Amino acid sequence: MKHLFKIFAVALMAILFISCEKDEDQAILGDGTTPTLKADKTSVVLIKDNEANPAIKFDWTNPQFQTQVALKNTLQLAKTGTNFQSPGESIVTANDLKVTYTVAELNKLGLDAGLVPGVATTVEVRLKSEVGKTVLYSNVVTLTVTTYLTAYPSFYIVGDASAVGWNAGTSQLLYQKDNFSTIYTYLENGKYFRFLGQQDWNPLNYSLDVAGMNAGNRYFKTWSTNLAPSTPENIQFTGATGMYKIVIDADATQKSINVSASPIAVWNPANLYLVGTVNGWNSAAAIPMTNLGNGKFEHTIALPAASEFKFLGQLSWGDLDWGNISADGNTGYLGPKGSNGNIKFDGTGGNYKISVDLKMGTYKIQPL
């Protein structure tokens, strides 16, 4: 019994010693002084032709603690009156005590913060300094910034919630028109996905803008209720498994993603038929395609100039009707009945392989 008591006493003393050490460390660190920030301009008009030119310089002083510490400094820029809820952020090297942003760099910060291109906007800038769990903010610097419109980003879907899986090399690009990117595709309940800016894991990734998400992944300001953040990188799909229309609005004031049910829930019909100028638009005599499984079909056919066609899931003009997304054309993206047009293709009269992936929401026309 005495032996057990000694062991207990030693363990208790060790716990008290560690606790005292932590308290002592906190006492040595102290609360820290407030960092300061200043800028060399109060108004900046950004012009795309000058992207490589210096736009603005910031100088700061770091917070001082009772002992030397390693700081993580982040410059935050937000529209005035938003209380820095959705700022543009840039990590800066604490010991440099200054940073100069080029026109392109400051423009990105402004767009990330939701500034409308071409409109002079009052913004607030501050320095966020972190050491451990201690976070200190500098004074706020007020500026007027006019950003410019850059090219809208490309969005490639990847993840096990999608028809692609976790393969960046085969991630699927969404159809882009102006600031909108759209696709009718398959999503699986309870699984995860995100968007890439290229068919690679780097450098661009896009996910929901929430606390805990990697800084480089934070993009979408608003999203539909069937999406949830999965920190630190991904988005979880919480809707029922099936076909959905994904719409991304990349306008700097929006940065939204909406996922809604596709008008056609079927993605793996038993049959798919080709109808159009190739058969006189006779749905009852539509041309059967070869079923490859998992929503994929193909057919080889001679296509002359001014060919037009669509795909049917039955030998009639019924509900299973797919064509070019939104309107007549040849984008390579499928749209369901009510949201499509004819696929238009100028063939040479030679043979072409037409491939359809209903699950992915795409089609291809390849010469043989």
Side-chain angles (χ1 to χ4, degrees):
M1 180 65 72
K2 290 182 179 180
H3 182 64
L4 289 175
F5 178 77
K6 287 180 180 179
I7 292 174
F8 175 76
V10 169
L12 181 61
M13 289 176 65
I15 291 169
L16 291 172
F17 177 74
I18 291 170
S19 177
C20 288
E21 267 197 332
K22 288 183 178 179
D23 291 342
E24 183 181 355
D25 288 345
Q26 184 62 42
I28 292 172
L29 182 62
D31 293 331
T33 60
T34 302
T36 64
L37 180 70
K38 63 180 181 180
D40 68 347
K41 293 183 177 70
T42 57
S43 181
V44 186
V45 177
L46 303 172
I47 301 172
K48 184 173 177 59
D49 290 343
N50 300 332
E51 285 190 326
N53 294 349
I56 194 169
K57 177 186 175 186
F58 292 98
D59 294 270
W60 65 84
T61 61
N62 289 320
Q64 299 298 311
F65 294 90
Q66 295 178 28
T67 187
Q68 189 174 359
V69 293
L71 294 168
K72 177 187 175 183
N73 278 0
T74 304
L75 201 73
Q76 296 182 317
L77 182 149
K79 289 189 286 188
T80 297
T82 62
N83 198 30
F84 290 91
Q85 289 300 308
S86 299
E89 294 187 323
S90 173
I91 295 175
V92 294
T93 304
N95 291 335
D96 285 352
L97 302 180
K98 61 183 177 182
V99 65
T100 298
Y101 287 97
T102 65
V103 168
E105 290 168 339
L106 185 60
N107 191 69
K108 182 180 184 304
L109 271 179
L111 294 180
D112 286 348
L115 273 63
V116 179
V119 177
T121 306
T122 304
V123 301
E124 296 176 327
V125 186
R126 69 182 182 185
L127 185 72
K128 176 183 178 182
S129 293
E130 300 173 87
V131 53
K133 294 182 179 180
T134 301
V135 180
L136 297 170
Y137 295 99
S138 73
N139 57 294
V140 172
V141 174
T142 302
L143 309 170
T144 301
V145 178
T146 305
T147 57
Y148 57 85
L149 181 64
T150 59
Y152 294 110
S154 298
F155 296 94
Y156 293 78
I157 190 170
V158 68
D160 58 2
S162 75
V164 177
W166 289 111
N167 185 345
T170 58
S171 55
Q172 177 59 53
L173 177 67
L174 275 62
Y175 169 63
Q176 185 179 44
K177 185 176 181 182
D178 300 324
N179 51 303
F180 290 100
S181 290
T182 308
I183 197 168
Y184 292 87
T185 194
Y186 173 89
L187 289 173
E188 190 165 339
N189 171 260
K191 294 191 176 180
Y192 306 89
F193 71 102
R194 68 176 184 264
F195 297 95
L196 307 175
Q198 61 290 308
Q199 284 189 317
D200 199 350
W201 295 115
N202 292 298
L204 301 175
N205 285 256
Y206 303 101
S207 192
L208 307 184
D209 187 357
V210 296
M213 197 69 71
N214 288 345
N217 292 43
R218 294 173 65 171
Y219 182 81
F220 298 109
K221 307 294 184 185
T222 60
W223 49 88
S224 51
T225 56
N226 51 11
L227 302 179
S230 177
T231 56
E233 295 181 314
N234 300 317
I235 303 168
Q236 183 180 32
F237 180 63
T238 61
T241 296
M243 291 296 294
Y244 287 85
K245 179 184 182 182
I246 301 175
V247 180
I248 293 173
D249 186 351
D251 185 282
T253 63
Q254 300 299 318
K255 293 187 177 180
S256 65
I257 176 171
N258 185 69
V259 178
S260 59
S262 171
I264 298 180
V266 176
W267 59 268
N268 194 18
N271 300 294
L272 193 69
Y273 303 92
L274 187 67
V275 64
T277 55
V278 291
N279 78 326
W281 290 105
N282 184 351
S283 63
I287 302 166
M289 303 183 72
T290 302
N291 189 338
L292 304 178
N294 205 33
K296 296 179 181 179
F297 298 82
E298 68 179 26
H299 183 71
T300 297
I301 191 171
L303 292 176
S307 293
E308 296 188 31
F309 55 91
K310 298 177 79 171
F311 307 108
L312 300 175
Q314 64 283 307
L315 289 171
S316 66
W317 294 106
D319 292 334
L320 302 185
D321 174 323
W322 294 270
N324 187 66
I325 193 169
S326 300
D328 292 351
N330 181 20
T331 63
Y333 296 88
L334 294 169
K337 185 176 182 178
S339 300
N340 69 33
N342 297 338
I343 296 170
K344 304 180 75 170
F345 184 77
D346 283 322
T348 63
N351 285 331
Y352 294 83
K353 182 168 76 172
I354 301 174
S355 304
V356 179
D357 189 337
L358 295 176
K359 190 176 185 180
M360 187 75 76
T362 59
Y363 67 87
K364 289 190 295 187
I365 306 170
Q366 299 168 291
L368 297 178

